[in-house]
Amino acid sequence: MHRLSFLFYLRSITAPAFRPSKPNFTPTPTPLAHYSVGRVTSRSNGRNNRGRAPGSRFNVKHDGVKDSNCRVSSNQPDEASIVDGSEDVDRFFHPTQSQHGQISLKRDANSSSKCTQSKHREKKRCTQSAIAVGSSYQQDKHISPAWCVGKDRSPNTERTCQHCTSPNRAVGNSSRQQNSLLGSADDTESHAHSSARLRSSQTPKNSQHQSYSPNLANVNQRDRPFISRAIPSPAGRTHNEQICSEKAADHLRIEHSEMLPMVVPFNIDQNKSESPFAPKPSLPAKNKEKRKELECFKRGEKLILRPGMVLLKKYISHTSQIKIIKKCQELGRGPGGFYQPHNRCGGKLCLQMMCLGKNWDSKMRSYGDRRSIDGAYPPSIPVEFKQLVEEAIRDSHAFIEQDLKLSDVEKVLPQMSPDICIVNLYTESGKLGLHQDQDESPESLRRELPVVSFSIGDSAEFLYGKNRKIKMANKVVLESGDVLIFGGDSRLIYHGVSRIIPKSAPSSLVKETNLRGRLNLTFREF
Ligand SMILES: O=C(O)CCC(=O)C(=O)O
Ligand SMILES: [Fe+2]
């Protein structure tokens, strides 16, 4: 009896351990797990769609579908137009897309900046200790090699509308509004033809603009460039260097060189830091992170985005930027100055435009000596602008030569002497649909003479790709002072501006010039 009761006692104390309650066997996700999943699906969009169902807010508009903001002429059902900056940008981050980045990115071999993968949700990885000097441009498997763009050309290629249009958007149709956008640095200057504009140019001079420096690091992970990785070979040369020499021997052969998609590993740190349970980073840690990001793209850094496409970060000095803005303000108020152009379909473009050297007719998509809207002759291109363009090409040559170990850099990026400059002024709502610059002379296109683009003022999200499919385009943030050059194999690259980042211009620039928005100057040789 005594032994029996002892046994019962024993059973009663051990039983619960062998009878776990059902929930213990059900793998219920913890809040952390939920959160992680949410981040995985939405991590590519750091702005405001966190936790939304994948694709729930992607508003893809196709050609042929009524689209009040933007019309891009195309018969291809697949081609999406840029409609709204935010929506378009979101589409780039659609989680169903490949996780591979798409931009081929190479950095200045001299750059010693060390960026690590950022923990910040929208500030992206700036890997580069492993960044290559070589040319194994890796591509998303969904898109054919980017350098095919130049080869896709055919005389029958349909010409695309160069700019997207938004009749409903208040870009400022009147010279009055437009002038105030450009700022009033030259308010006192009298100019026949522009009294109304001058009056209107008295914009608040003390508007507070925050300095904000978004850069490539702000581009989301899936949108990050492919970064060629240097794989050391036994001979001491990197894998990429080997490819480079081959490229030098036979430039075209690069088309068939190894193109392995670089799978960017998911950064578990990112989740950690974003977990609601993770401790908030301290201020010094945050500052350190920020410093790292800023280090990613220093003044003077050069990147080869793809063959024939070079980005010179913060290339134009502050002083030169001021001069350029003031010159554009001055010319923009005069005959042949800024106006809001129409596209082929009659819609208005989401920008103000002024041509220098030759006039580009946005409706006809052709160049001429005078513009049809008022018969005005375009002002000539200031000589300082031309000098800066030629310098930028020369510097790019030196970089390509050193980076790709090429002797004939002109094959990759031909030299050009600009006789056309299209100046675009974007307000915060400005944008430009994906298009090709292909209205220059057949000879200029045949020689693949580059387009040289200066960005000044607010930063822009610039898209480029081998076709007009926005979803497949690469994105890079162009900041004030950046120079982008695309010639050679990239001459006919599709490109556009999906969004202007408001108040991102350097505050000193804004103070000194009163520029609001973004100025973009594209130089070409007819
Ligand atoms: O604003 C930009 O960065 C691009 C402008 C452009 O592509 C053009 O004017 O053709
Ligand atoms: Fe363009």
Side-chain angles (χ1 to χ4, degrees):
M1 191 62 192
H2 178 71
R3 191 187 284 168
L4 249 180
S5 62
F6 177 69
L7 278 174
F8 271 119
Y9 167 73
L10 253 186
R11 199 180 159 214
S12 74
I13 61 165
T14 55
F18 295 105
R19 269 187 272 120
S21 58
K22 194 180 171 208
N24 282 355
F25 286 111
T26 314
T28 324
T30 61
L32 177 60
H34 276 307
Y35 188 81
S36 301
V37 170
R39 291 308 304 150
V40 170
T41 55
S42 64
R43 75 191 169 93
S44 51
N45 177 8
R47 283 201 310 282
N48 53 10
N49 69 334
R50 195 186 307 163
R52 279 171 193 257
S56 63
R57 69 192 295 265
F58 303 128
N59 178 22
V60 180
K61 299 203 180 179
H62 299 289
D63 287 342
V65 176
K66 189 178 181 303
D67 171 351
S68 62
N69 291 323
C70 173
R71 271 166 242 276
V72 181
S73 72
S74 164
N75 300 325
Q76 299 174 36
D78 230 354
E79 291 176 350
S81 311
I82 291 179
V83 177
D84 172 89
S86 58
E87 292 300 333
D88 288 318
V89 169
D90 288 342
R91 285 207 299 277
F92 284 100
F93 306 145
H94 196 295
T96 57
Q97 286 179 14
S98 162
Q99 290 300 309
H100 314 310
Q102 292 178 10
I103 306 171
S104 291
L105 165 71
K106 291 186 291 143
R107 298 173 69 101
D108 191 340
N110 295 329
S111 164
S112 59
S113 56
K114 298 261 189 306
C115 304
T116 57
Q117 292 205 336
S118 168
K119 289 176 188 168
H120 199 282
R121 96 173 62 97
E122 202 169 352
K123 317 279 176 162
K124 288 312 152 223
R125 293 94 177 127
C126 308
T127 27
Q128 71 294 75
S129 39
I131 283 164
V133 176
S135 58
S136 62
Y137 298 92
Q138 300 179 22
Q139 290 290 318
D140 188 296
K141 64 182 174 196
H142 296 317
I143 59 173
S144 55
W147 45 89
C148 291
V149 168
K151 321 270 179 238
D152 284 340
R153 204 172 307 154
S154 91
N156 297 329
T157 308
E158 195 203 339
R159 292 196 163 200
T160 56
C161 272
Q162 178 149 15
H163 303 286
C164 93
T165 154
S166 168
N168 300 332
R169 266 174 206 279
V171 172
N173 196 11
S174 68
S175 53
R176 182 177 285 254
Q177 186 174 349
Q178 156 243 309
N179 213 46
S180 71
L181 293 168
L182 250 184
S184 55
D186 296 324
D187 274 356
T188 48
E189 198 176 303
S190 68
H191 200 299
H193 203 81
S194 61
S195 55
R197 290 176 179 187
L198 281 175
R199 253 180 277 120
S200 67
S201 66
Q202 289 149 3
T203 52
K205 293 194 178 183
N206 56 349
S207 55
Q208 294 295 308
H209 288 269
Q210 297 286 316
S211 177
Y212 170 65
S213 293
N215 51 32
L216 262 177
N218 287 353
V219 179
N220 276 308
Q221 178 57 32
R222 76 149 303 283
D223 214 33
R224 284 287 299 162
F226 272 121
I227 296 166
S228 314
R229 284 172 296 185
I231 307 161
S233 74
R237 296 165 72 212
T238 65
H239 175 63
N240 282 331
E241 280 166 351
Q242 286 169 349
I243 294 175
C244 290
S245 350
E246 283 168 24
K247 180 172 179 174
D250 181 358
H251 179 59
L252 293 179
R253 225 147 50 90
I254 193 171
E255 286 183 41
H256 306 292
S257 68
E258 265 182 273
M259 290 179 300
L260 303 173
M262 185 179 110
V263 179
V264 183
F266 181 71
N267 182 5
I268 54 166
D269 283 346
Q270 194 178 8
N271 260 1
K272 260 192 206 163
S273 67
E274 288 173 355
S275 156
F277 305 110
K280 290 235 155 37
S282 64
L283 193 61
K286 271 190 198 164
N287 287 342
K288 196 171 161 202
E289 200 63 51
K290 192 146 189 96
R291 267 199 308 278
K292 270 189 213 160
E293 280 159 8
L294 291 176
E295 270 171 12
C296 289
F297 299 102
K298 289 184 196 155
R299 170 175 294 282
E301 193 162 359
K302 301 176 183 70
L303 306 106
I304 297 179
L305 300 181
R306 49 178 288 139
M309 191 168 189
V310 180
L311 174 57
L312 310 176
K313 288 300 293 178
K314 299 173 191 163
Y315 181 83
I316 310 171
S317 70
H318 178 79
T319 321
S320 297
Q321 289 183 52
I322 304 264
K323 283 185 187 158
I324 294 171
I325 296 171
K326 291 194 172 172
K327 196 73 197 168
C328 289
Q329 286 169 330
E330 178 199 321
L331 296 174
R333 283 194 286 263
F338 284 103
Y339 73 105
Q340 190 173 17
H342 288 78
N343 68 11
R344 249 196 316 211
C345 322
K348 282 177 185 163
L349 309 190
C350 303
L351 47 79
Q352 301 283 329
M353 186 180 83
M354 162 175 75
C355 295
L356 307 177
K358 281 187 189 302
N359 181 62
W360 180 71
D361 190 313
S362 56
K363 271 188 163 175
M364 304 303 293
R365 300 187 50 82
S366 61
Y367 289 100
D369 289 336
R370 307 169 72 158
R371 64 189 196 189
S372 54
I373 49 157
D374 57 3
Y377 286 96
S380 24
I381 307 176
V383 65
E384 306 81 39
F385 289 15
K386 286 188 182 187
Q387 279 166 358
L388 200 50
V389 170
E390 283 160 16
E391 247 168 63
I393 300 177
R394 269 199 306 275
D395 282 348
S396 303
H397 279 164
F399 171 57
I400 294 169
E401 198 168 53
Q402 175 199 38
D403 189 43
L404 299 183
K405 314 271 185 286
L406 288 180
S407 50
D408 196 358
V409 283
E410 290 242 7
K411 270 191 183 161
V412 178
L413 190 67
Q415 181 62 262
M416 73 102 174
S417 178
D419 51 9
I420 303 160
C421 173
I422 298 182
V423 187
N424 292 330
L425 173 69
Y426 299 81
T427 59
E428 290 188 354
S429 58
K431 64 182 80 149
L432 181 60
L434 284 177
H435 65 278
Q436 291 169 297
D437 291 349
Q438 54 173 2
D439 300 328
E440 293 69 37
S441 70
E443 176 64 3
S444 174
L445 296 177
R446 187 192 62 75
R447 291 170 59 202
E448 300 175 325
L449 301 185
V451 172
V452 177
S453 152
F454 292 180
S455 292
I456 297 174
D458 281 344
S459 303
E461 287 178 356
F462 182 85
L463 310 179
Y464 64 95
K466 74 175 194 78
N467 56 38
R468 258 179 47 209
K469 293 180 181 166
I470 291 182
K471 277 197 263 183
M472 293 199 173
N474 306 304
K475 182 172 71 174
V476 66
V477 174
L478 297 181
E479 297 171 279
S480 197
D482 287 357
V483 172
L484 179 70
I485 304 179
F486 51 100
D489 280 357
S490 293
R491 178 58 178 80
L492 288 186
I493 188 93
Y494 282 86
H495 59 280
V497 172
S498 57
R499 191 169 85 93
I500 300 297
I501 302 171
K503 301 189 179 21
S504 51
S507 48
S508 50
L509 197 76
V510 175
K511 259 190 212 137
E512 281 180 70
T513 62
N514 229 353
L515 172 73
R516 280 186 286 154
R518 170 177 184 256
L519 262 185
N520 174 261
L521 293 83
T522 47
F523 297 88
R524 310 125 195 261
E525 184 175 327
F526 184 74

